[in-house]
Every structure is written in C-alpha cells, then in structure tokens.
Amino acid sequence: MSFLQEIAKRRTFGIISHPDAGKTTLTEKLLLFGGAIQEAGAVKSNKIKKGATSDFMEIERQRGISVATSVLAFIYKDKKINILDTPGHKDFAEDTFRTLTAVDSVIVVIDVAKGVEEQTEKLVEVCRMRNIPMIVFINKLDREGKDAFDLLDEVEQKLKLTVTPLSFPIGMGYDFKGIYNIWEKNINLFTGDSRKDIEDTIAFDDVANPELDKIVGEKAANKLREELELVTEIYPQFDRDTYLKGDLQPVFFGSALNNFGVRELLDCFIEIAPQPRSKESDTRLVKPEEDKFSGFVFKIHANMDPKHRDRLAFIKIVSGVFERNKPYLHVRNNKNLKFSSPNAFFAEKKEVVDISYPGDIVGLHDTGNFKIGDTLTEGELMNFKGIPSFSPEHFRYINNADPLKAKQLEKGIDQLMDEGVAQLFTLEMNGRKVIGTVGALQYEVIQYRLEHEYGAKCSYENFPAHKACWVKPDDAKNDEYAEFKRVKQKFLGKDKYGQLVFLADSEFSIQMTQQKYPSVKLFFTSDFHSN
C-alpha cells in the first residue's frame, strides 16, 4: 500500500464529554465493532471488577473515571482508527486540552437527560478555536430525557454549533422504538435486549411506506414522518466540506450502553471524518504527505509498569514516515535520538512497530529526554505550536512526610511534573515548593502515585494564591521591574523552565499590579516553547 493510501485510511479522533455522559462506554462499543475487544465490561458496575479497557490506573478503577488519556486503535472496514481517550473529569481538563492538539476530529457525547453540561462547553470551545470537525452523539435514548428538538436547540445555543441531524429517534425513554438513519435511509429497531451485539436494520427509502406503521405502530410512524419533515425544513443539508472546516456538526442519536445507534455513528464517521490534517509550526504549515518525518509529544505517561521505571512519550506523527532505529532530531535539546522499540497501541495491547504513518500515535520509551510539546524531525529546526500550560486554580505547599525518602520525593515530583499532571513553582524567597493544579482531585492522584510508584510520602498545606501569572517585563533592567520584584517577593516563584511567575492572591491584586507596574506584563498561559 502506498504512503498516500496509508494516510488516507487513518482517522484519529478524541471523544469528549461531561463526566458520566457515557464516553467510556461509547469508546468500548466502538472497540467492540472493530473486533478489538470481545466483550464489553459494564464500566461502573461493581459486579465486573475488570473495569473498562481504557482506564488502566488503579486510582481510576477506584473512582470509575478516566484519569489517564490513553490511545486505542482498531481496524474497521479497512480504515485504521485511532481513538485518543480523554478524561471527562474536569479536574483533568488540562490533559484533555493537550490531547485535543493531537486529534484530527472529535465526537462530542451528550446525555439525553442532562443536555449540554459545563465541561462539554469548555471542551467544545477549545475545538471551535482550532476549527476541529465535530460530530455530536446524543446518548442514553432508552432513558427519559429532553425532546430531540429541544436538545438540538440547546446544542446550537450553548455550544454555538450549527447542527444537522443524520439520524433521528423514534420515541424516547419508555416509548423508544428505534432510530431512523437519515444518512443511510434505514430504520434500526430497538429491542431493549443489550445481549444482542448488533441490531438488525431494515432498509427504508421512503418513510411514507405503510409498512412503517406495521413495524413501529401508527402513532409513532406518523410522529416520525412529521419530525423528519421538520428536520429537512429547519436544518441545513449535510455538506462534508462545511463539516471539515468546523462550520457544520452532524448529530446522531443512540444508546451506547445498549450498543444502539453506535454502528450508524461509526459507519458515517469513517466516510466523512478527515484524514490526518496539516499542522502549524513556528516556521511553516506542515502537511502530512511530506516525505520528511515530523511529530510532537502531547502526553507523557510515567511508570506504565510500576516494576520498571519506564516513561512513555506519546508522539502524534504529523508528516512523513516514522521508522524504528532511525535517528531523529529532538529540536529542543538539539540532539539525535534513536528508538529501538517504538510502541503502537492496538486495542488494549502495546506492540513494537517498525513503521508508522501520519495520524498514528507512537509511544516512545523515554529516560527523561522529553517534555510535553517537544518536536521531533528529520533535522528541520521547527516547533509545533499550540500546546500551552494553563494557569492553575488550586495551589498548595508540598511537604515531605518522610525525611528518609527526600530523594524519592524529589524524583517523583519531577517526573509527575514532566508528565503535565500539575505545575511546580519554587518560591524565590525561601525555595519552598508549591504545586498548582487545574483541579483539586489532582492532589490525591499525586499523593497516591508518589507513594505507590516512588515510595515517597507527602503532605500539603494551603498556599493563598488565586492565579499564576507568567511575568514578562518590557525591560528587565528598569527600576519599575526591580520595584515590582521587591514589593511582590513573597509571591514570586519560578516554574520548572525557570520562568518567573507571580502567584497573585486575588483578582484585585492582579489588577492593582497591572496598574502600578504597566511595563511588567502578566500572562495566564505559558507556551511550553518559550523556554
């Protein structure tokens, strides 16, 4: 198969949602269709201890939420599909934002009863900023929920999307009879028997056909006819180019838990979703079909196997072909590295691969060379853009709770920070360490992992900060900057790249500082590359 055909068969996407909208269940059902797993584990049911295949850390099993973003790949109808699983929980938003830099399209899962929730709004906003093509999947149709048209309105208004339904429910909740697939013009009847792996569909080119009344009952059939008429009047027709530009979002209805409506979603997805897309670097736009390899690190996972201290850096391949044992330039360190056992992910297994193509995600064993946002090339000096670090919202001093394990604690904190779990600030005044996170749950994750992976114990105390602001003076030698540093010394620290950070204790304090020291600029995100 030629290089261009390899690119054309790849689809790399992420699934985003508010916690509990059914994202992990949907991921599992997609894997089921791809033959990547044999049985679906009921993710949160305590009867099944095995947990979903995509949640592999102990702390996730305890909490039933996806903490680590993992990669799942499978082949379906000759397409190679890479799913990047994103944590739904808002405390892990930063990890999700970074994963969105590596996907070519997104499926947004919405709960039929709860509608659009706050976490979904934030994530969709990030996708809109980057014009990532999105498909919306409205889930849990077998439960009582909002009216289909109300939901579509809500998606349009709250998420600022332009939607067009490609399938439509027949009834809802107790009256749920099935789904009419507008895209393929057929009907999928709902039996409520979740043991059946795949439901049969009946081809229906014409909903006016009286057969429909026999199958779903006259009342439901008439209602469906009316609703479909409305759909064609109200919503734009699906147009692939508009969808690929990020200006039109197709909507599917279904129930992931009952494996219903999932095949329709997948069949349409592989037809319309984009192939690997080009990506901006700081010097030029890089296209997938270029012959020279380039890629970037969007995630680092330490201690995949706690018995061996290994870290895996996840690389999204942007252009060219990645080959095993070939030297590539690590741009930030300006040194060549070779990888003897690059991992590809297939369902729940990792395997060593000789060759990977644009759109693929490769796991590289790392001894500490990589940081998030690093670029690898065949020698070209460039960095891929748009992988920022966000200002944390929670801050705590971290203290060593076991003096004999100071070294282990330091190593553990260092590695967890490289992974992007949280950010570390070292105070200028006394060298104390402050950990900043986007969500409070991260502190438990850090404590748990330090103890179980590094054998170190830590305790926390509150640190009264409201936001971290990266400091850039117009002129590092002027008096105003010196005055700022003197007055604010209690609140100044360095991040792990040595950049100066002002840990402001309130919104008011940020405003006053900006007024008083106009030549000292404050930023709420740091691009990882400015080090």
Side-chain angles (χ1 to χ4, degrees), residues 481-523:
Y481 183 49
E483 169 75 359
F484 161 79
K485 289 199 347 192
R486 190 182 59 76
V487 173
K488 297 293 182 193
Q489 59 178 347
K490 267 183 25 200
F491 301 102
L492 293 179
K494 290 260 169 76
D495 70 4
K496 66 173 182 182
Y497 298 117
Q499 300 182 118
L500 189 67
V501 177
F502 168 42
L503 300 165
D505 56 356
S506 67
E507 199 56 53
F508 177 68
S509 149
I510 295 174
Q511 286 166 2
M512 291 309 291
T513 305
Q514 285 173 324
Q515 279 169 21
K516 204 168 161 195
Y517 310 106
S519 72
V520 179
K521 301 278 184 285
L522 303 178
F523 297 92

Side-chain angles (χ1 to χ4, degrees), residues 364-428:
L364 302 180
H365 288 281
D366 174 34
T367 50
N369 291 313
F370 287 120
K371 288 180 175 164
I372 287 173
D374 279 352
T375 299
L376 278 179
T377 67
E378 278 192 44
E380 185 176 348
L381 295 172
M382 63 173 181
N383 282 299
F384 285 108
K385 294 201 304 202
I387 307 181
S389 172
F390 297 86
S391 169
E393 311 199 344
H394 303 264
F395 299 86
R396 294 183 191 172
Y397 282 120
I398 180 164
N399 299 320
N400 184 1
D402 179 354
L404 297 173
K405 296 280 174 70
K407 255 198 169 128
Q408 285 89 323
L409 181 71
E410 196 156 318
K411 183 176 177 192
I413 291 175
D414 232 29
Q415 295 208 347
L416 291 177
M417 299 304 132
D418 276 356
E419 255 186 75
V421 173
Q423 293 172 60
L424 184 69
F425 303 106
T426 308
L427 293 184
E428 293 273 81

